[in-house]
Amino acid sequence: MSLSIYNNVMSLNSQRHLGGTQSALGKSLERLSSGLRINHAADDASGMAISEKLRGQISGLKRAMMNAQDGISMLQTAEGALGEVSSMLQRMRELAVQAANGTYTSNDRVELQKEVEQLKAEINRISTSTEFNTKKLLNGDGTALWSASSNKISALIRGNVAEGNYQISLEANKIGQSQVFKTDIMTLQDDKIGAEYVDSTANATDDTNISKVSNPKSLWATGDNDYTLTLHGSGITTSSAVATIGSYLQPGSAGTIKTDSNSISSSLTFDGYALVEITGDNASAAITYFYSATTGELLGSSTDTDISDDITTNAGFSLSATGTFQKGDKFLFSVSRGIVPSNNGQGAIEITDGPTAQEQKITINFTAASSLASTTEEITKTIYLADLDEQTGNLNIGNLDIVFAKTDDGAINTGTGTLHIAGGGEAATTTTKLKDIARFIDADGNNLFENKQELTIWGNGKSATIYLEGDDTIADLETKITDALVNELDLGSSDEQVNSHLVDYISVPSNDGNRTVKGTFIIQTALTGEQGEIAFSGDQRLIDAFSLAEIQESVSNTTLVTVKDAHTGDLIGVDETGNDRVNGVIEGIELVVDSRATVESYWDAATETIKFRENANANENHFLHVVDNSTDLQIGPNQGQTLSVSIPQLDVKGLGLENMFIVSQKLAQRAIPDIDNALTQVVTIRATIGAQINRLEHTIANLSVAHENMTASESRIRDLDMAEEMSQFTRSQILSQAGTAMLAQANQVPQMALQLLQG
């Protein structure tokens, strides 16, 4: 072979082999250091691609297991809250069963209701406040969100919803009716009286502006012979008059005293009464006393020592006396100046008729500053009526207040009405005070209204308490109950005439219908069906005194509900409901329809009843916007591998218990199946949640197996076989050492050329 020094081919060959060995040694070191067979794509391009895909699945499976664990925690939170709701419903059922027992009084049931109300409030609080990572779980928001264009419709979330915008039209197929209560007959105590004014003007536009009479004192009961009140305005005049009211003659007396119209002067000095009392036997003497009809005061007297011809008074009239008299005989006359008002707002009250033997005929003038009309306030005038007891001769001057309503122009509205004075045992009047009603005297003779009484009205998911005092009148009781129904319980109407008849006291009975019994209350609401039902509670003696009887049961409207897509007009579904609830037309939604959406109340003057008819706005379309807000648990590493968790609305309204009351035995009985239905709902949801928790536990187990197997698969592709690689490393290490030694030897070969040169 040749010997060269310029190109050392053996050294280059050694370097090449040593470089390959060093490269293999470096890869072994990298693999042994990382524990991975594939550290770079160049190590195994296809293996790297498969491994990265598997790694994505592995991390997804790991995260899915954690998601499932979070889902279990969320469901356990909801199930724990529902466990408490279930316990509270069981307690409510126990209370309902207790209240259904006839041994309890109304007040006892109110105390039970108080606990029910607290439990209902806590169910609502749990529904609102139970959340997981700020997500509401039990109020329906975690399943769907909704809004409506009108308060006439609302939605309850029942499950996964079909989101969208819905047009809802309502049509009343059958009109229902409201619940109507009637009380016991309210009669006056034996020693009490009451007053009632009834306008009898045929033309409603000419109604007198007398609104009521009140505070009657010491008046005779009129029985079937009521007084007639005629209200005269300015510009009307009549002549003065003196009329006989009654007389008292002792045994043996046979005299008469009467008026002579020709002896009545036009300058009578007062409106009132004249009592003539014989002060001497036969025709020897008499004294005349004058009493004011506007103050009841004794104005003065006039003495006549000889009445054989007539009795002369100093009040502008004289009386003729005939027959035989005894000392103590008495005669009573009404004295009227006539009607003389001349200015707007001035007038006169003419009182005629009245109880037998005590018929009145008197005109009481209100002139000058004594106006009977105002545009700013009502005006109260007190008048006095006199009567003479034919059995005892006692003079009685009673009085009552006449209230004149405001008028538009301050002028008197003239007309004629009837004044009824009720006596003991008769039906009370609207102005009768509650403490004067016989029904409010208990079996022990105690008046219920010695102390203030509470009366609570329950309805529309709420309660309103009114306070009754002995000085409250029947009219005040009407006003208080009406205000509670309309303003506190929202059970009234937009028609004020209807509201004014929600509570009616029957002082003037009708020939037929609900208003035939005088002295009773009629109580109802302006809503049909269960939505308008009410109940009362209070002291058992008060409830017994009212003796409320349901004379008309509530009947719900039958409503045809049509649902369309609000954008395309496509029909979604149609349902006819008889309980104001619609299920199944909109997926996951239970529609609640206000009975006033299709039906309105009105006052039928002909039958004097509140009736119902199709609402003028019944054809109005309502709109409901629904958005799916359900919770989807990602329980797999890939798209679509989810579990939808939808918990319905489980507040008191969603459970159907917003109108659940146990304040009466009947309501307590009805509450039991309502609570059972609510328990069924809660138990069903708890069972569903429990099943989902079990499913998620199996999901976690399955994901764990998949994670293990996929990790093993990825390991086989990417992980390093340490034994094999160590053998490779050892070989590369030895080859590296040998290559290095040989390279050193190859580098020594050119030295041989020096030996040749030395020779």
Side-chain angles (χ1 to χ4, degrees):
M1 56 177 270
S2 61
L3 180 64
S4 63
I5 61 172
Y6 193 82
N7 289 304
N8 191 342
V9 176
M10 287 185 292
S11 175
L12 292 174
N13 182 266
S14 297
Q15 290 180 47
R16 178 171 61 82
H17 285 289
L18 180 60
T21 301
Q22 290 291 350
S23 176
L25 183 61
K27 288 181 178 179
S28 292
L29 284 170
E30 182 180 29
R31 289 170 179 166
L32 290 170
S33 298
S34 66
L36 297 175
R37 185 180 69 85
I38 303 173
N39 289 288
H40 305 285
D43 293 340
D44 186 346
S46 62
M48 171 68 77
I50 295 171
S51 173
E52 287 298 325
K53 186 176 180 181
L54 289 174
R55 279 190 171 186
Q57 293 293 302
I58 291 168
S59 63
L61 288 168
K62 185 176 181 181
R63 182 67 259 178
M65 285 190 288
M66 296 174 67
N67 288 349
Q69 289 285 5
D70 291 341
I72 289 174
S73 298
M74 182 186 75
L75 291 173
Q76 287 174 336
T77 301
E79 202 275 332
L82 289 178
E84 286 305 312
V85 172
S86 182
S87 297
M88 287 187 284
L89 290 175
Q90 293 287 6
R91 175 57 179 165
M92 289 167 67
R93 193 183 193 283
E94 180 183 355
L95 292 170
V97 173
Q98 183 179 0
N101 192 11
T103 61
Y104 292 96
T105 67
S106 177
N107 273 343
D108 294 335
R109 293 189 179 93
V110 169
E111 297 306 314
L112 298 176
Q113 181 67 39
K114 287 179 180 178
E115 184 175 352
V116 168
E117 291 302 306
Q118 290 299 317
L119 293 173
K120 288 164 70 174
E122 181 60 16
I123 290 174
N124 281 336
R125 190 199 66 79
I126 288 175
S127 172
T128 302
S129 63
T130 301
E131 52 185 46
F132 185 83
N133 192 30
T134 73
K135 289 179 68 70
K136 302 293 184 182
L137 299 181
L138 302 180
N139 69 345
D141 288 356
T143 300
L145 302 173
W146 66 272
S147 61
S149 63
S150 166
N151 61 0
K152 296 296 188 295
I153 62 168
S154 58
L156 297 176
I157 307 303
R158 293 305 187 199
N160 288 328
V161 300
E163 64 180 17
N165 289 281
Y166 300 95
Q167 174 186 303
I168 300 168
S169 60
L170 309 171
E171 180 182 349
N173 279 357
K174 181 180 178 182
I175 295 176
Q177 63 186 28
S178 63
Q179 179 189 47
V180 180
F181 286 104
K182 200 162 195 177
T183 67
D184 206 339
I185 300 173
M186 302 290 130
T187 57
L188 286 159
Q189 298 175 34
D190 289 340
D191 59 342
K192 303 298 181 181
I193 60 173
E196 188 81 57
Y197 174 76
V198 182
D199 184 6
S200 59
T201 304
N203 188 343
T205 60
D206 295 331
D207 284 353
T208 169
N209 62 303
I210 297 176
S211 62
K212 65 180 180 179
V213 294
S214 61
N215 298 322
K217 297 176 183 177
S218 302
L219 296 174
W220 280 42
T222 56
D224 295 330
N225 301 286
D226 293 330
Y227 295 110
T228 298
L229 267 60
T230 304
L231 182 59
H232 300 283
S234 62
I236 299 176
T237 60
T238 62
S239 60
S240 303
V242 178
T244 302
I245 294 178
S247 62
Y248 164 70
L249 292 175
Q250 302 172 89
S253 297
T256 61
I257 298 178
K258 60 182 180 180
T259 61
D260 180 358
S261 60
N262 293 326
S263 69
I264 301 172
S265 169
S266 61
S267 60
L268 290 177
T269 59
F270 73 103
D271 294 318
Y273 303 93
L275 175 67
V276 178
E277 181 177 355
I278 304 301
T279 57
D281 290 335
N282 204 2
S284 60
I287 185 170
T288 304
Y289 300 95
F290 307 110
Y291 298 89
S292 170
T294 55
T295 66
E297 298 176 347
L298 177 63
L299 300 175
S301 62
S302 175
T303 303
D304 196 323
T305 57
D306 184 2
I307 62 172
S308 58
D309 293 327
D310 58 24
I311 299 173
T312 302
T313 71
N314 58 6
F317 65 93
S318 61
L319 305 167
S320 61
T322 59
T324 59
F325 301 95
Q326 298 180 68
K327 183 179 180 179
D329 292 343
K330 298 177 183 179
F331 298 85
L332 182 63
F333 302 89
S334 63
V335 180
S336 302
R337 289 176 292 169
I339 304 173
V340 297
S342 58
N343 296 324
N344 194 35
Q346 298 177 5
I349 300 171
E350 184 179 7
I351 303 172
T352 55
D353 304 324
T356 304
Q358 297 292 332
E359 292 186 356
Q360 293 278 343
K361 183 172 177 55
I362 187 170
T363 304
I364 304 171
N365 288 276
F366 295 91
T367 59
S370 299
S371 176
L372 299 183
S374 169
T375 58
T376 59
E377 60 184 358
E378 64 181 20
I379 296 172
T380 301
K381 297 294 183 182
T382 302
I383 64 170
Y384 292 80
L385 301 176
D387 58 69
L388 185 64
D389 193 321
E390 293 184 340
Q391 303 301 317
T392 65
N394 292 331
L395 173 68
N396 179 63
I397 300 180
N399 64 280
L400 78 161
D401 294 336
I402 299 182
V403 180
F404 298 87
K406 295 185 292 184
T407 59
D408 294 334
D409 56 2
I412 294 173
N413 294 338
T414 61
T416 301
T418 298
L419 174 63
H420 175 72
I421 306 298
E426 290 188 62
T429 64
T430 56
T431 57
T432 300
K433 294 181 178 179
L434 299 182
K435 64 183 179 183
D436 294 337
I437 296 176
R439 288 296 297 152
F440 298 132
I441 304 297
D442 65 17
D444 297 323
N446 300 315
N447 194 313
L448 297 183
F449 290 100
E450 290 175 356
N451 299 305
K452 180 169 60 178
Q453 293 287 330
E454 290 185 10
L455 180 66
T456 302
I457 308 169
W458 307 81
N460 203 17
K462 295 176 279 189
S463 66
T465 299
I466 61 176
Y467 298 92
L468 306 176
E469 300 184 17
D471 286 333
D472 286 336
T473 65
I474 283 180
D476 294 332
L477 178 58
E478 280 189 12
T479 300
K480 288 183 177 182
I481 297 179
T482 299
D483 181 70
L485 292 176
V486 175
N487 298 320
E488 296 189 55
L489 301 181
D490 190 27
L491 292 172
S493 168
S494 58
D495 186 342
E496 288 303 320
Q497 190 174 30
V498 170
N499 291 339
S500 67
H501 289 287
L502 294 178
V503 184
D504 271 349
Y505 179 72
I506 311 305
S507 56
V508 181
S510 302
N511 294 327
D512 53 23
N514 296 339
R515 305 171 71 88
T516 56
V517 182
K518 185 177 182 179
T520 59
F521 282 94
I522 294 176
I523 304 173
Q524 64 187 114
T525 69
L527 276 72
T528 60
E530 291 187 7
Q531 292 184 4
E533 290 185 356
I534 55 175
F536 296 84
S537 66
D539 187 294
Q540 188 63 49
R541 297 176 301 164
L542 180 65
I543 298 301
D544 289 344
F546 280 118
S547 296
L548 288 162
E550 188 180 59
I551 62 172
Q552 178 175 291
E553 293 185 353
S554 63
V555 176
S556 296
N557 306 319
T558 300
T559 306
L560 183 67
V561 181
T562 303
V563 181
K564 297 180 179 180
D565 187 298
H567 302 298
T568 65
D570 293 340
L571 180 65
I572 303 297
V574 178
D575 187 32
E576 186 176 69
T577 176
N579 63 355
D580 302 319
R581 300 276 178 117
V582 180
N583 283 299
V585 177
I586 302 176
E587 183 181 349
I589 295 290
E590 180 179 353
L591 281 176
V592 181
V593 181
D594 191 315
S595 66
R596 288 170 287 197
T598 56
V599 171
E600 65 180 1
S601 55
Y602 70 98
W603 174 250
D604 187 337
T607 60
E608 295 185 297
T609 56
I610 295 176
K611 292 185 176 180
F612 296 88
R613 62 192 174 198
E614 188 174 11
N615 195 320
N617 298 321
N619 294 326
E620 175 186 358
N621 287 323
H622 307 274
F623 295 93
L624 184 70
H625 175 71
V626 179
V627 176
D628 182 10
N629 197 40
S630 60
T631 301
D632 290 335
L633 301 179
Q634 182 69 34
I635 57 173
N638 301 319
Q639 180 183 8
Q641 296 177 342
T642 60
L643 170 64
S644 180
V645 175
S646 297
I647 303 175
Q649 183 176 337
L650 292 174
D651 57 6
V652 170
K653 187 174 183 180
L655 292 171
L657 299 178
E658 70 271 26
N659 282 325
M660 193 277 288
F661 302 117
I662 59 172
V663 293
S664 71
Q665 193 170 6
K666 178 181 177 181
L667 290 176
Q669 290 277 3
R670 199 169 74 181
I672 295 173
D674 290 341
I675 299 172
D676 287 341
N677 289 334
L679 273 168
T680 300
Q681 288 187 59
V682 173
V683 169
T684 299
I685 297 305
R686 290 184 68 187
T688 300
I689 290 175
Q692 289 176 327
I693 290 174
N694 290 338
R695 174 182 172 179
L696 287 173
E697 288 176 346
H698 288 293
T699 298
I700 292 171
N702 175 259
L703 290 173
S704 179
V705 171
H707 178 267
E708 177 185 345
N709 292 329
M710 201 164 291
T711 300
S713 177
E714 197 268 345
S715 174
R716 285 189 293 272
I717 295 173
R718 199 155 189 170
D719 283 0
L720 180 68
D721 184 340
M722 294 294 289
E724 179 183 359
E725 190 63 36
M726 196 62 199
S727 298
Q728 182 66 32
F729 173 75
T730 301
R731 186 184 67 178
S732 297
Q733 191 178 38
I734 294 172
L735 288 175
S736 176
Q737 293 173 359
T740 301
M742 293 303 100
L743 178 60
Q745 290 297 322
N747 287 338
Q748 291 297 323
V749 170
Q751 293 290 335
M752 296 174 62
L754 292 176
Q755 293 179 3
L756 293 174
L757 293 174
Q758 290 176 356

